[in-house]
Amino acid sequence: MSKRGHVIKAVERGSIAEELELEPGDEVLSIDGHELEDIFDYEYYVNSEAILMVVRKKNGEEWELEIENQYEDLGLTFENGLMSEYRTCKNNCIFCFIDQMPPGMRETLYFKDDDSRLSFLQGNYVTLTNMSEHDIERIIEFKLAPINISVHTTNPELRCQMLHNRFAGEALKKIDRLYEAGISMNGQIVLCKGVNDKEELERTIGDLSKYLPYMESVSVVPVGVSKYRNGLYPLSPVTKEDAISVLDIVERWQKTLYKEHGCHFIHASDEFYILAERPMPEEKRYDGYIQLENGVGMLRLLETEVEEALKEEADDDAIEEISIATGMLAAPFIENHAKLVHDKFPGRTIHVYPIVNHFFGEQITVAGLITGQDLIAQLKEKSLGKRLLLPECMFRSGEEVFLDDLTRQDVQNALQVQVDIVKSSGQDFVNTVLGHVKEKKPSYDGYELKEI
Ligand code: SF4
């Protein structure tokens, strides 16, 4: 049987690989006698002063290439970015958002990944339930870090119930192994009312704080409850009282842990502060915005960046009417930012439209889950001015497609307005509002539902 190879997709111009006459379609079979399990093996073995690489050319010839790369990147991209199949999750979590999506959306959105390699490559959170001892050993050997872990609770029995996986409690022991090996970690808790809140939350924070300093941070995010929960575990959305209770616990732990360790460690997402109607924490409490990807500190950071960016701008006397659409959650904050811009640039009229999420249900308030059809339905009678600004998180990563497969062009056509996409920083916000950027091919971070 012929050896399994990794098919080359592209060869960078001017690279070592091009010099060696490697081409798309050729297959890398081994490096220094090691067959390559995945991208981590490749990165590990290629990172050497001299290597022996065996390649099968498209015509079937096998080449042995002695490469002195002095740690340079060879310039190869592979057809499968992971150089291995993606791992699906072995859980059936009571709060899984994928189970709460309507049928008929594109297939890739229903893929449930739980792959530690994606944790290192793109920051995904993993439950550790499908990781073998071999996987743990490779993380330790290759010193891969940080690994982002969906913990949810440190109560083993409760974790089995929440993840609907009888091995989920046992899997927590892998955190001990990573801690003992000095591997950096971040944790996440999806807070489900009446399940892992109150005493259970206290217990989880206390247990995880024992992994400091290698466990660098933990976020608490509220469960998302869509209107498609028929037949699923009965979960209620987080209320104002629930949010106050979570913040009381989180803020108390922050004070204690800051005194002991010089970092706040546990962070509640912005949504809790909005629900509790409490002011966002001051900047230093976010420990360098370590949990930004989980919606922790996004609004505080945006406010600071908008204020900074506006200081650099002088009024250009331009007159323009524009509009911004966003989710219900962020709308009051975006309105404040729009007012700051208007105060400095009185010629700019800026309408901010909060969009109700009819697609997933009104309980879903984040901008990243707004669809093209909700935008069109709710904006068609509105004054939109010359341009409509939409945040990049509404679009599929690297493309101009909404979750419901409508495109930026579809929305432009339906609303008869130019749609500009706002990247995530405050400087981008100010530039796009003022029309100082002409972006056509933005690089997006993508939906909250990460696709692969
Ligand atoms: S929440 Fe994540 S780990 Fe749980 S079932 Fe869904 S995809 Fe799997």
Side-chain angles (χ1 to χ4, degrees):
M1 202 172 80
S2 70
K3 272 195 241 167
R4 174 174 167 263
H6 298 280
V7 183
I8 296 170
K9 182 180 171 192
V11 176
E12 202 179 306
R13 291 187 73 175
S15 66
I16 296 173
E18 189 186 54
E19 219 173 280
L20 293 165
E21 297 177 16
L22 295 181
E23 298 164 300
D26 296 345
E27 292 173 60
V28 175
L29 299 180
S30 65
I31 296 177
D32 292 340
H34 302 281
E35 283 191 40
L36 306 174
E37 191 175 321
D38 58 21
I39 186 76
F40 291 147
D41 271 0
Y42 172 76
E43 297 286 354
Y44 183 74
Y45 292 119
V46 92
N47 189 18
S48 170
E49 201 171 343
I51 56 171
L52 178 72
M53 180 187 268
V54 180
V55 174
R56 181 161 54 222
K57 295 292 290 175
K58 275 189 289 187
N59 63 10
E61 281 177 19
E62 274 195 21
W63 288 5
E64 285 195 358
L65 302 169
E66 283 179 30
I67 307 170
E68 288 187 10
N69 76 5
Q70 293 168 332
Y71 303 104
E72 248 184 82
D73 179 38
L74 298 185
L76 291 177
T77 310
F78 294 92
E79 282 204 339
N80 180 332
L82 213 51
M83 296 175 75
S84 156
E85 294 306 311
Y86 290 92
R87 284 193 197 160
T88 54
C89 89
K90 291 191 171 159
N91 311 314
N92 198 0
C93 301
I94 59 170
F95 51 83
C96 183
F97 198 78
I98 294 172
D99 292 339
Q100 302 181 58
M101 299 201 309
M105 297 177 75
R106 67 175 165 276
E107 202 56 37
T108 50
L109 287 170
Y110 298 101
F111 183 76
K112 294 181 169 185
D113 75 83
D114 192 13
D115 195 317
S116 57
R117 290 145 330 160
L118 293 178
S119 185
F120 301 111
L121 291 175
Q122 58 186 44
N124 291 19
Y125 274 74
V126 293
T127 62
L128 308 178
T129 52
N130 62 1
M131 282 176 75
S132 63
E133 184 54 31
H134 170 67
D135 296 326
I136 297 281
E137 277 167 11
R138 274 195 344 141
I139 289 172
I140 294 169
E141 183 190 353
F142 295 173
K143 297 189 171 53
L144 300 171
I147 178 163
N148 295 331
I149 304 169
S150 291
V151 181
H152 309 310
T153 172
T154 51
N155 175 339
E157 293 79 38
L158 182 60
R159 194 166 194 258
C160 291
Q161 289 164 24
M162 287 186 78
L163 274 60
H164 219 272
N165 178 337
R166 66 197 166 96
F167 302 107
E170 188 73 12
L172 288 168
K173 292 188 182 149
K174 290 170 191 160
I175 300 179
D176 292 302
R177 293 270 284 114
L178 296 167
Y179 172 76
E180 281 152 21
I183 300 292
S184 302
M185 298 170 268
N186 294 294
Q188 187 202 49
I189 299 166
V190 172
L191 190 100
C192 300
K193 181 176 172 160
V195 180
N196 60 343
D197 54 356
K198 300 186 179 152
E199 298 80 25
E200 292 294 347
L201 180 61
E202 293 273 7
R203 169 181 174 161
T204 302
I205 299 172
D207 287 345
L208 292 179
S209 68
K210 293 180 192 139
Y211 296 116
L212 269 158
Y214 298 120
M215 179 73 77
E216 294 177 349
S217 69
V218 175
S219 60
V220 191
V221 301
V223 62
V225 180
S226 91
K227 63 183 182 186
Y228 297 98
R229 285 203 62 88
N230 270 353
L232 299 178
Y233 185 93
L235 281 179
S236 322
V238 172
T239 61
K240 181 177 177 181
E241 288 66 39
D242 305 326
I244 289 170
S245 154
V246 167
L247 292 182
D248 286 346
I249 294 172
V250 165
E251 294 187 339
R252 186 162 27 77
W253 274 102
Q254 284 185 332
K255 279 189 193 130
T256 310
L257 293 170
Y258 189 74
K259 270 190 214 143
E260 286 173 24
H261 301 276
C263 76
H264 297 87
F265 182 70
I266 181 79
H267 305 273
S269 71
D270 294 354
E271 203 169 344
F272 281 111
Y273 285 90
I274 296 171
L275 285 167
E277 297 175 27
R278 260 192 208 176
M280 297 287 163
E282 63 288 1
E283 187 157 69
K284 80 170 178 41
R285 227 184 320 148
Y286 289 108
D287 292 342
Y289 294 108
I290 191 166
Q291 284 272 356
L292 210 52
E293 290 294 312
N294 281 321
V296 176
M298 274 182 161
L299 294 171
R300 165 63 70 218
L301 180 62
L302 186 67
E303 182 180 288
T304 310
E305 287 178 343
V306 167
E307 284 169 0
E308 286 299 312
L310 280 173
K311 279 186 204 156
E312 306 295 317
E313 301 283 344
D315 191 8
D316 52 9
D317 296 324
I319 294 177
E320 194 188 24
E321 182 184 353
I322 63 161
S323 50
I324 302 173
T326 186
M328 299 297 287
L329 189 72
F333 294 85
I334 300 300
E335 258 171 44
N336 277 346
H337 304 333
K339 186 175 174 309
L340 288 177
V341 177
H342 177 75
D343 287 348
K344 187 149 188 181
F345 297 85
R348 260 61 173 210
T349 303
I350 308 164
H351 309 284
V352 176
Y353 297 116
I355 303 296
V356 178
N357 198 324
H358 293 305
F359 189 88
F360 287 110
E362 293 184 16
Q363 301 292 346
I364 303 296
T365 55
V366 293
L369 294 175
I370 297 285
T371 53
Q373 52 193 273
D374 271 339
L375 285 168
I376 293 170
Q378 291 172 53
L379 295 177
K380 62 176 187 280
E381 307 294 336
K382 298 278 196 283
S383 299
L384 297 177
K386 205 170 150 209
R387 296 181 290 130
L388 168 66
L389 275 51
L390 299 177
E392 65 175 352
C393 62
M394 283 185 190
F395 296 88
R396 182 180 186 174
S397 179
E399 296 179 29
E400 298 184 352
V401 184
F402 295 92
L403 271 168
D404 57 356
D405 284 343
L406 290 187
T407 64
R408 167 182 177 165
Q409 192 63 49
D410 293 332
V411 172
Q412 287 193 154
N413 293 348
L415 297 174
Q416 288 294 294
V417 68
Q418 177 184 322
V419 169
D420 285 351
I421 297 170
V422 191
K423 292 192 206 170
S424 55
S425 80
Q427 183 71 59
D428 293 322
F429 176 85
V430 171
N431 285 347
T432 317
V433 169
L434 296 178
H436 290 173
V437 277
K438 291 269 173 279
E439 51 79 35
K440 284 290 170 206
K441 286 260 169 256
S443 66
Y444 313 120
D445 286 339
Y447 307 132
E448 296 195 353
L449 295 169
K450 274 194 176 143
E451 286 189 272
I452 52 172

